[in-house]
Amino acid sequence: MKLAVVGGGSTYTPELIDGFARLRDTLPVEELVLVDPAADRLELVGGLARRIFAKQDHAGKITTTTDLDAGVAGADAVLLQLRVGGQAARNQDETWPLECGCVGQETTGAGGLAKALRTVPVVLDIAERVRRTNPDAWIIDFTNPVGIVTRALLQAGHKAVGLCNVAIGFQRKFARLLDVEPGQVHLDHVGLNHLTWELGVRLGGPDGENVLPKLLAEHGDTIADDLHMPRKLVDRLGVVPPTTCATSTPTTRSSGSWAPSPPGPPRSRRWRRSCWRCTATRRSTRSRSCSPSAAAPSTRRRRSTSRPPCWAAAVHRSRW
């Protein structure tokens, strides 16, 4: 099997290479091509990848290239793991929504939408080039927001599948708590990438006994700690909510490290609720600046016959 990794210069690539090396009997990769426009990163990551294969006695060949068309030629599958705008763009996606009292996350909410708007055109362009060069290749999407990007690929007619490790992570975690093999655990898993819920945990298959109430009763503190949520909230929900939204906190760049932002001025509950409604339904009755100092809207509800631009779009434009 020949596999091409677009975004092969990523710091996530060594972990991917280690997985290929350990699972060589399950996934026999004969040739692995790392594709990235940054030649300096490719040289570093490619050298490390070859050392990982050699350490694991993997016979596969690893090559690097900055030429996308050459890299994907003849590949059985093309894996996409790219970040348009780099970590600087991610910092923006995950911080400015927090200033408006909303979720700061690169896959959901306003930040996820901003990332999708940057990412989808690039991914579709890459996919078209893959289709022209190698129409039989599968496209495997690791690029966030996985749900939106994969939907765009499928709607454009590409052979694509999106991957996320949230479900398998919960499966393995629950298996450890239950002292069973992960294959015996079946999840009632609903939602989108990084906004998923576990409604049930079943043993033996989809029709097995739902042991989620037992898990919450016996291991509720452990689960709540992993979610960074109060135990009472998890018990009240009766399901396992997503972890990413619970841990989406402001970050600022300070002295070369990422640290939590200092708390801002208090925001009224009425203002916060209005901001969320604007994000979720785009039914804002007026155009206003969304900032902690902005005046709270009137409690009088007025029906708007038009659909004015959401505040999120205005904030996004001002930040870029």
Side-chain angles (χ1 to χ4, degrees):
M1 173 187 294
K2 178 179 179 180
L3 180 65
V5 180
V6 179
S10 167
T11 53
Y12 291 103
T13 299
E15 183 179 3
L16 184 67
I17 301 299
D18 179 67
F20 290 145
R22 289 184 292 102
L23 301 175
R24 56 184 176 273
D25 295 333
T26 303
L27 187 65
V29 177
E30 299 175 354
E31 183 179 359
L32 183 64
V33 184
L34 305 182
V35 185
D36 201 288
D40 55 337
R41 295 173 65 96
L42 271 180
E43 182 180 0
L44 177 63
V45 176
L48 179 57
R50 295 185 188 96
R51 291 177 61 184
I52 293 174
F53 264 27
K55 181 68 175 180
Q56 297 282 356
D57 295 324
H58 195 294
K61 176 184 178 182
I62 297 179
T63 60
T64 62
T65 180
T66 57
D67 188 331
L68 175 65
D69 296 326
V72 302
D76 296 288
V78 178
L79 191 151
L80 306 181
Q81 54 168 31
L82 51 98
R83 185 184 302 281
V84 180
Q87 293 292 352
R90 180 178 185 175
N91 182 42
Q92 292 282 350
D93 292 340
E94 297 192 342
T95 53
W96 65 260
L98 292 166
E99 298 173 6
C100 299
C102 300
V103 170
Q105 229 284 324
E106 68 165 349
T107 55
T108 58
L113 176 60
K115 188 175 192 300
L117 292 173
R118 292 194 309 271
T119 305
V120 167
V122 176
V123 167
L124 290 180
D125 177 68
I126 293 173
E128 284 299 329
R129 294 172 66 177
V130 171
R131 181 153 54 187
R132 290 196 300 267
T133 305
N134 188 10
D136 294 327
W138 276 91
I139 296 177
I140 304 172
D141 179 49
F142 267 139
T143 300
N144 284 326
V146 168
I148 298 176
V149 173
T150 305
R151 172 67 67 86
L153 286 166
L154 293 174
Q155 288 182 340
H158 297 286
K159 293 172 57 178
V161 61
L163 299 181
C164 177
N165 64 348
V166 171
I168 195 172
F170 274 125
Q171 183 192 43
R172 292 172 177 174
K173 182 184 301 182
F174 295 149
R176 288 194 299 269
L177 295 176
L178 294 168
D179 196 22
V180 299
E181 292 296 321
Q184 299 181 36
V185 177
H186 180 88
L187 302 179
D188 293 341
H189 183 85
V190 299
L192 299 172
N193 170 242
H194 287 184
L195 188 59
T196 56
W197 300 76
E198 308 305 330
L199 304 186
V201 179
R202 302 183 182 276
L203 291 179
D207 298 323
E209 176 190 4
N210 182 13
V211 296
L212 180 56
K214 175 183 175 181
L215 274 171
L216 293 178
E218 298 180 2
H219 304 283
D221 289 336
T222 300
I223 295 173
D225 287 343
D226 289 343
L227 295 171
H228 302 280
M229 289 184 176
R231 167 71 185 272
K232 290 182 179 180
L233 176 58
V234 177
D235 288 339
R236 183 173 182 179
L237 291 171
V239 298
V240 179
T243 60
T244 49
C245 289
T247 57
S248 298
T249 56
T251 56
T252 56
R253 192 70 180 269
S254 175
S255 302
S257 62
W258 296 98
S261 297
R267 301 166 182 156
S268 70
R269 182 177 299 176
R270 181 173 57 184
W271 178 88
R272 186 184 296 263
R273 184 167 60 247
S274 175
C275 179
W276 170 253
R277 184 168 64 247
C278 178
T279 308
T281 65
R282 298 178 63 86
R283 274 188 260 164
S284 174
T285 58
R286 68 181 72 177
S287 176
R288 63 184 180 87
S289 171
C290 187
S291 64
S293 61
S298 170
T299 56
R300 180 183 177 185
R301 302 187 64 179
R302 293 178 292 177
R303 184 177 297 276
S304 174
T305 57
S306 62
R307 179 176 286 184
C310 177
W311 60 265
V315 173
H316 179 63
R317 285 194 298 271
S318 68
R319 296 303 176 94
W320 290 91

